[in-house]
Amino acid sequence: MLSPRLIVTAHAPLAAFAAMGVLWGTFAAVLPDLKAQLQVDEARLGLLLLPTPLAAVSAMLVAPLLGVALGRVALPVATLAMGFAFILPGQVHLAVLFPLAMMCAGAATGLTDVLMNARVATLENERGLHLMNLCHAAYSFGYAGGALATGMMRDAALAPGVVMGAAGLGAALIALLAYERDGTIHGLARPPKGQGRGLGLVPLIGGGIVLIAFLTENAAENWSALHIEKTLGGSPAEGAMGPAALALTMGFARIAGQGLVARLNAGRLLRLGAVVSAAGALGAAFATSPTMAYAGFIVMGIGSSVIAPTAFSLVGRMAAPEARARAVARATLYGYFGYFFGPPMLGFLAGLFGLRAAFVFAAAMLMMVLVLTPLLMRRG
């Protein structure tokens, strides 16, 4: 299930996933302080976050070209840029400047995400190993570590600028581990006209499943601290435990998924994960105390943990050999619409109907996985 061989083989994307987790975990846990620093409400904060996905999608579109141009250093360079970009949002005190800072963070995240998922898909198919769950677990553990460290720094009354600065520098150091001697991501370049097969519908359907998984997962991570503090009256430390509980659960569940993915039918695993995750989202929505909310986030994390990695692996496995990296990059592009649009969307819903309604919406979205999974399996 987990061995030194797997860790050594996947050390470069593992570092990139962990760095990204640290950064977004810190951002989610410090979000209440950023909101106060900017002096905005939930709806306005959601609006300020909206340009982030635009920058991310733009970066994802050019990521294959940059991956080809940078060669074996593409992944560490992108991860390093992401670490420095996340320092910026904490330094902003004017709401009008906040979207610009978040666009830098979003663009660096989009670039890194395409490259690291494509690299994992390449390693899986070259080495005949299951690595996607392990790498996504690194993101979850990094996220939990970032959220917990942020909770302690917030309790010490450190400013958001200090918190985000520490996270950015820490991620930049982790980025140094993303270098590998033969780290070139093959298959990113578009084949000459008339040569090679098209990508087909597999990246579209698989990307739709990833979109739903990331929309609900990232929205829950970003708004759980605010839900615990504002709706349930928790302290800053209790608020930080919300995203940390979700991320830690997903990390351990994804390590367990290393074994499950080789034993269970992938379609059944996707459907089961969606149902369990939806039940957890409803539990968090109707919680009456921080403890009940933690339980909901833990159940949600168990279910969500397997959805995105399984979908990514299926896309890589079902695509033509010469187009695997491009297929996974395309699925990443589709999927991360959910990653970035999820938090602003739930912010608008929270502003209109409250945070409880936002988590009910997340549960409803997860049920769409039950519709898309049979379509993906038939295409395969």
Side-chain angles (χ1 to χ4, degrees), residues 289-363:
S289 68
T291 302
M292 289 182 64
Y294 298 151
F297 291 135
I298 288 171
V299 173
M300 190 177 182
I302 292 172
S304 292
S305 65
V306 298
I307 298 176
T310 303
F312 275 129
S313 287
L314 281 173
V315 170
R317 202 158 66 228
M318 293 174 176
E322 72 276 6
R324 283 191 179 116
R326 286 194 300 124
V328 173
R330 185 70 58 84
T332 304
L333 172 62
Y334 297 145
Y336 274 81
F337 275 99
Y339 187 92
F340 289 107
F341 280 109
M345 185 183 299
L346 261 71
F348 288 128
L349 289 172
L352 293 173
F353 306 109
L355 283 162
R356 294 187 188 277
F359 286 104
V360 172
F361 172 78

Side-chain angles (χ1 to χ4, degrees), residues 78-156:
T79 310
L80 190 66
M82 181 177 62
F84 289 130
F86 265 83
I87 296 175
L88 301 177
Q91 316 307 314
V92 175
H93 290 74
L94 297 176
V96 69
L97 297 178
F98 188 71
L100 298 177
M102 288 306 300
M103 286 176 72
C104 293
T109 298
L111 175 62
T112 305
D113 226 309
V114 167
L115 296 176
M116 67 188 189
N117 278 294
R119 182 58 182 154
V120 176
T122 300
L123 288 170
E124 281 193 328
N125 287 284
E126 286 179 352
R127 310 292 176 87
L129 300 171
H130 293 292
L131 300 171
M132 198 68 77
N133 275 282
L134 174 63
C135 288
H136 281 257
Y139 171 86
S140 298
F141 287 127
Y143 194 104
L148 289 171
T150 300
M152 291 187 287
M153 288 188 281
R154 288 183 67 204
D155 269 354

Side-chain angles (χ1 to χ4, degrees), residues 135-216:
C135 288
H136 281 257
Y139 171 86
S140 298
F141 287 127
Y143 194 104
L148 289 171
T150 300
M152 291 187 287
M153 288 188 281
R154 288 183 67 204
D155 269 354
L158 294 180
V162 176
V163 175
M164 295 296 290
L169 292 175
L173 291 175
I174 296 173
L176 300 178
L177 300 175
Y179 174 79
E180 52 186 330
R181 185 180 303 172
D182 184 21
T184 303
I185 305 170
H186 301 287
L188 284 174
R190 186 183 296 273
K193 190 174 181 179
Q195 298 182 22
R197 287 175 280 177
L199 298 180
L201 291 178
V202 167
L204 177 62
I205 301 171
I209 295 174
V210 176
L211 185 152
I212 293 169
F214 284 160
L215 186 152
T216 53

